[in-house]
Amino acid sequence: MPSSLATRASALETGINPFWAPLAMVVTQDFALRGFFRERIVLGRHHLPMQGPVLLAPTHRARWDALMLPMAAGRRVTGRDCRFMVTRTEMAGLQGWFLQRLGCFAVDQDKPSLTTLRFALDLLANDQQLVVFPEGRINRDDEPIVVKEGLVRLAQLALRQGVQVPVVPVGLAYNPNRPAPFSQAAICFEEVLKISGRGKEETKHFNQLLVKGMKAAEQAARMAVGRPMECL
């Protein structure tokens, strides 16, 4: 790990633990997901970059999302881990202790720290895979997708440093809507988006494309589990 990345990882008390990360992969993917869901469907995997930096931009429908993403795009598929940027509340208590050792790190959505932003940029500059939930919260009730500006700002900052980061819209779906034992789960990766500049208009335009991609990905995932949206 480059020194700047290691320094900031230490400051944020995060990193891929060589013991916990492989164990968590086995427990979550081979036991938890397989034991809970009777079917786990992955669509559009050809849209997933296998090299270079990438920002995954998923819809957020259940806490199971954090297990589905590494199953579909993690170490066994791409050869690299999903590094999650999560809220401060998700990093509290025992869950937070575990997440830290899996390489997750917290961000204050209203006022992200400079250390957190630099760490995220370092990850992207080192060709890693970063997961940011653009909605900033779990949306279980089919409310319209509304994205915050954090993800596009991060991509713009990376571009300023000479790093073009592909952004992959991702949709997740479950049937029933609130996952129950022996239910179905699906995840869909949409076509890559790329940021081309800065400014209010570019930010607005990119977020419109992102919402469109997330909706399309979620519709495909919902159709796969037999619960299509009534309309886009």
Side-chain angles (χ1 to χ4, degrees), residues 11-231:
L12 292 168
E13 298 181 347
T14 186
I16 302 295
N17 185 284
F19 174 77
W20 288 108
L23 179 62
M25 182 172 63
V26 171
V27 171
T28 58
Q29 296 180 30
D30 296 339
F31 293 97
L33 287 173
R34 288 186 181 182
F36 193 84
F37 295 104
R38 64 181 172 87
E39 190 174 21
R40 301 160 310 285
I41 303 165
V42 180
L43 306 170
R45 191 172 271 162
H46 59 284
H47 290 309
L48 189 62
M50 295 294 170
Q51 297 178 344
V54 60
L55 269 167
L56 299 182
T59 57
H60 205 0
R61 299 297 170 255
R63 291 197 179 274
W64 287 100
D65 299 345
L67 304 188
M68 289 288 292
L69 282 152
M71 181 273 294
R75 190 179 298 189
R76 290 177 174 176
V77 178
T78 63
R80 52 188 175 178
D81 295 289
C82 291
R83 305 298 298 268
F84 285 81
M85 182 184 282
V86 300
T87 64
R88 287 184 176 276
T89 56
E90 290 177 291
M91 293 296 284
L94 181 61
Q95 173 179 287
W97 182 89
F98 195 62
L99 291 177
Q100 283 178 336
R101 283 147 186 82
L102 297 178
C104 302
F105 59 102
V107 60
D108 185 329
Q109 292 173 294
D110 297 319
K111 192 177 180 181
S113 72
L114 194 57
T115 302
T116 301
L117 289 175
R118 284 177 174 169
F119 180 64
L121 291 170
D122 284 347
L123 288 174
L124 295 172
N126 284 276
D127 293 341
Q128 297 207 37
Q129 185 169 242
L130 184 59
V131 181
V132 179
F133 292 102
E135 295 170 282
R137 65 183 182 89
I138 295 177
N139 175 3
R140 294 187 174 94
D141 300 316
D142 289 350
E143 297 173 16
I145 294 175
V146 177
V147 301
K148 297 180 180 292
E149 293 188 356
L151 183 143
V152 63
R153 297 295 189 196
L154 186 59
Q156 289 170 334
L157 286 171
L159 186 62
R160 283 184 63 187
Q161 296 186 358
V163 180
Q164 175 69 264
V165 182
V167 178
V168 182
V170 185
L172 290 116
Y174 304 92
N175 192 5
N177 182 33
R178 295 175 185 266
F182 307 111
S183 55
Q184 293 173 290
I187 182 170
C188 177
F189 300 96
E190 260 295 318
E191 189 173 350
V192 163
L193 302 174
K194 291 188 178 179
I195 197 76
S196 59
R198 301 174 62 199
K200 289 184 179 180
E201 288 304 313
E202 173 61 25
T203 298
K204 181 180 178 181
H205 177 64
F206 183 86
N207 275 343
Q208 288 173 342
L209 293 176
L210 179 58
V211 168
K212 183 179 179 180
M214 291 169 68
K215 283 182 177 179
E218 184 168 18
Q219 175 70 311
R222 288 181 60 153
M223 290 182 68
V225 298
R227 199 174 61 84
M229 297 180 189
E230 291 185 4
C231 63

